[in-house]
Amino acid sequence: MGSVPAESAAYIVQRLARSLSNQGTPWSPLSVSLITLLLPAGGAILTIRNLQRLQTIDSQKARELIIASIGVFAVGIVILLRLDPAGAQGQGVNGDTTGVLGCGMAVVSYVVQRTAFRSWREAHHTVRTGPWFPAVATAGIYSLVTLGAAVPVMLVSMLVAAVGG
């Protein structure tokens, strides 16, 4: 396969940025919470995006929170992988750990959106909430970005462990 021409790559990035922007109506907190249950890192960022759609936070604050969330989840993923005693030689994550993380994130996601969504719903009786498929896609993309951010953190962790002992 050949490489993607620069113009095509730029076009794809622009379309992705537009699709992930603050356009559209908010998603229901229940939908976002269910997505967060399955994709905790992407769901946390989806929650931030939804708060932006609900006009609870502005785009600058959303950007800052998203970057912080990616960093925290990247470090957290590495910690879980490096320290979980259930894995072979400390390398693994059991279902209980990820289940607790997903459930906790889903509850937090719902709670932080609930009040803002109720206010929005009162002001927009006839407007339908945003469709769920773009929400799932957004959470999936951000989950992949977070995993990508965890790779260099894992490499540094492994290097420090090798040097230290």
Side-chain angles (χ1 to χ4, degrees), residues 12-70:
I12 291 169
V13 169
Q14 286 176 342
R15 297 251 344 229
L16 180 60
R18 248 185 278 140
S19 70
L20 297 178
S21 71
N22 189 28
Q23 298 173 355
T25 57
W27 298 294
S28 81
L30 183 58
S31 298
V32 174
S33 295
L34 290 174
I35 293 167
T36 303
L37 182 64
L38 301 173
L39 299 168
I45 297 168
L46 187 65
T47 300
I48 295 166
R49 282 286 183 204
N50 208 33
L51 289 171
Q52 184 183 7
R53 286 176 167 219
L54 289 164
Q55 299 179 351
T56 302
I57 57 175
D58 62 18
S59 62
Q60 177 64 31
K61 187 65 166 177
R63 189 175 308 115
E64 291 169 2
L65 289 171
I66 288 169
I67 291 168
S69 295
I70 289 171

